[in-house]
Structures are given as C-alpha cells and as structure tokens.
Amino acid sequence: YYRRSWSSESSDSVISSEFGSNCYRVVLIGEHGVGKSSLANIFAGVHESIDSDCEVLGEDTYERTLMVDGESATIILLDMWDNKREGEWIRDHCMQVGDAYLIVYSITDRASFEKASELRIQLRRARQKEDIPIILVGNKSDLVRCREVSVAEGRACAVVFDCKFIETSAAVQHNVKELFEGIVRQVRLRRDSKEK
Ligand code: GDP
Ligand code: MG
C-alpha cells in the first residue's frame, strides 16, 4: 500500500484529498522496542478492544474507521519506522507522509525519551511550515517499578514540543483507545481552525 503512494510521490496529496477531510494518515515513530507495533496491533484489533473492522492494507499499514465525538474518522496507521529491510528511505518517507504523528517512548527507557525529542526536531525540520498534530506517547505505563521517566517530565516535554501528551500501556490496553481518539481530535482542531 505505501509502496504505491511512494512510487508516485506527487500523488500523495491527491490521495489525501480524495480520501476527504475525515481520513488521516497517522504515523508511529520512536525508538525500537518502545511498543509501537504493540499499539498498532491493538489498533488493528488483534485483541479486539476496539469494536469495528480493521483492514490490513499491508504488512505494517492498518486502516480503521472510528466514531469520535459523533463523527466518523478513518485512520490509516503506519508502523514502518523500524522496517530496516526497506532501507533508509522509509524514515524520510514516514517524515513526509503523515497527517499526524505519534512519537512513542517507553517510560522505562530514558534514552527512548531523549530520542523522542530528537524526532520532534527532525519532524519540525522536515515539515517546516506545517502545524502537524502530534501526540507524545509514554508507553509501558504498567511497568511502574521500572519507570525512568516521570509523568511530569513527559508532560513538560510535550509543552516544549507544543503537542499533546498521554501515557499508555499496550500490555494492559490502558489509554490506547483514548490515544487514537486523541489524535483524531487533534487533526480536527486544526482543520476547524483553518475553516474559520
Ligand atoms: P516496537 O519496536 O516499538 O514496535 O515495540 P514492540 O511493540 O515490538 O514492543 C517491544 C517489546 O515491549 C515487546 O516485548 C512488547 O511485548 C513490549 N511492550 C510493548 N508495549 C508494552 C507495554 O505497554 N507494557 C509492557 N510491559 N510491555 C510492552
Ligand atoms: Mg515494531
């Protein structure tokens, strides 16, 4: 699926507009091992916590329509950040194609938290003039005894990033639904302010 949009780069914007205003491409980024694929699997309904059908568009691309605040929204979730087989281009691709981003770190891994800041800067550089919706995601909140990054630090970082913050646990499925609803709301906020 993503190969198709990659091979004809200029068609990306065409595809987005064809999708209409309620279909968003959301990209998972963050250090290896923080739980991106686990979050994607929940979204994909592997554990069936979100009750609607998910279409698997490719190895690491998932599509699902959610009802958020009485309005449906389709998310195309890309989890290809760690896909080394495809080569380096995939990260540049990820930085370019998202309508919104989930920057994930693990609360048990300070290095992954620091990496999240780097990614925020990279993203800002890659998409300079755009006001891209981002949620900073502190995953593995169930591992309380291994915590290396406090909630306050995560929150403060999000203030600096100018983005939203949430702690999740893919393992016990805490706040995962809220995360995907949250990103839809963030996209809508920007859409609505543009219309005014
Ligand atoms: P990715 O490399 O970012 O895609 O991370 P994965 O989803 O592959 O997860 C890496 C490891 O962390 C796996 O062993 C997961 O089972 C584990 N993991 C992911 N999310 C959580 C979580 O919320 N809590 C706990 N305890 N483990 C998690
Ligand atoms: Mg993964």
Side-chain angles (χ1 to χ4, degrees):
Y1 175 79
Y2 59 82
R3 281 196 191 90
R4 187 184 55 178
S5 52
W6 174 253
S7 61
S8 50
E9 220 192 323
S10 59
S11 72
D12 272 340
S13 55
V14 177
I15 288 174
S16 305
S17 55
E18 271 173 11
F19 282 157
S21 58
N22 61 351
C23 183
Y24 316 118
R25 207 177 325 216
V26 177
V27 183
L28 284 159
I29 63 176
E31 190 113 294
H32 182 72
V34 297
K36 299 182 297 301
S37 298
S38 303
L39 292 167
N41 281 337
I42 295 172
F43 178 81
V46 170
H47 314 282
E48 293 180 300
S49 74
I50 304 175
D51 50 321
S52 73
D53 290 333
C54 176
E55 205 177 324
V56 179
L57 300 171
E59 199 184 347
D60 33 29
T61 305
Y62 311 90
E63 180 184 323
R64 178 185 284 277
T65 299
L66 312 170
M67 280 299 282
V68 182
D69 304 327
E71 190 185 342
S72 76
T74 301
I75 291 179
I76 294 175
L77 185 68
L78 307 188
D79 175 33
M80 55 187 68
W81 186 249
D82 288 332
N83 190 338
K84 296 255 164 53
R85 258 179 307 130
E86 296 285 344
E88 274 303 307
W89 66 268
I90 208 141
R91 295 204 162 179
D92 297 326
H93 177 63
C94 283
M95 285 295 187
Q96 294 302 329
V97 299
D99 297 311
Y101 289 84
L102 305 175
I103 303 182
V104 188
Y105 67 92
S106 165
I107 65 143
T108 66
D109 177 7
R110 180 159 290 279
S112 73
F113 180 62
E114 278 152 17
K115 183 72 187 176
S117 297
E118 258 175 62
L119 292 173
R120 174 68 184 104
I121 292 162
Q122 261 177 267
L123 192 55
R124 183 170 281 156
R125 213 173 277 148
R127 307 281 292 274
Q128 282 184 14
K129 293 194 176 111
E130 297 168 72
D131 177 23
I132 300 172
I134 296 172
I135 298 182
L136 178 66
V137 185
N139 189 44
K140 307 200 186 184
S141 64
D142 58 293
L143 297 176
V144 283
R145 289 191 185 159
C146 308
R147 183 184 281 275
E148 289 184 2
V149 183
S150 71
V151 178
E153 282 175 290
R155 214 175 271 144
C157 186
V159 170
V160 174
F161 282 11
D162 191 24
C163 71
K164 284 282 168 187
F165 171 69
I166 192 169
E167 281 200 353
T168 59
S169 168
V172 302
Q173 297 197 30
H174 178 249
N175 266 354
V176 179
K177 192 163 174 273
E178 289 77 3
L179 169 63
F180 291 107
E181 290 171 352
I183 200 67
V184 168
R185 290 194 182 102
Q186 286 308 301
V187 179
R188 283 182 184 164
L189 273 174
R190 284 161 179 79
R191 178 197 65 187
D192 295 344
S193 67
K194 263 185 208 154
E195 280 170 2
K196 272 170 202 157

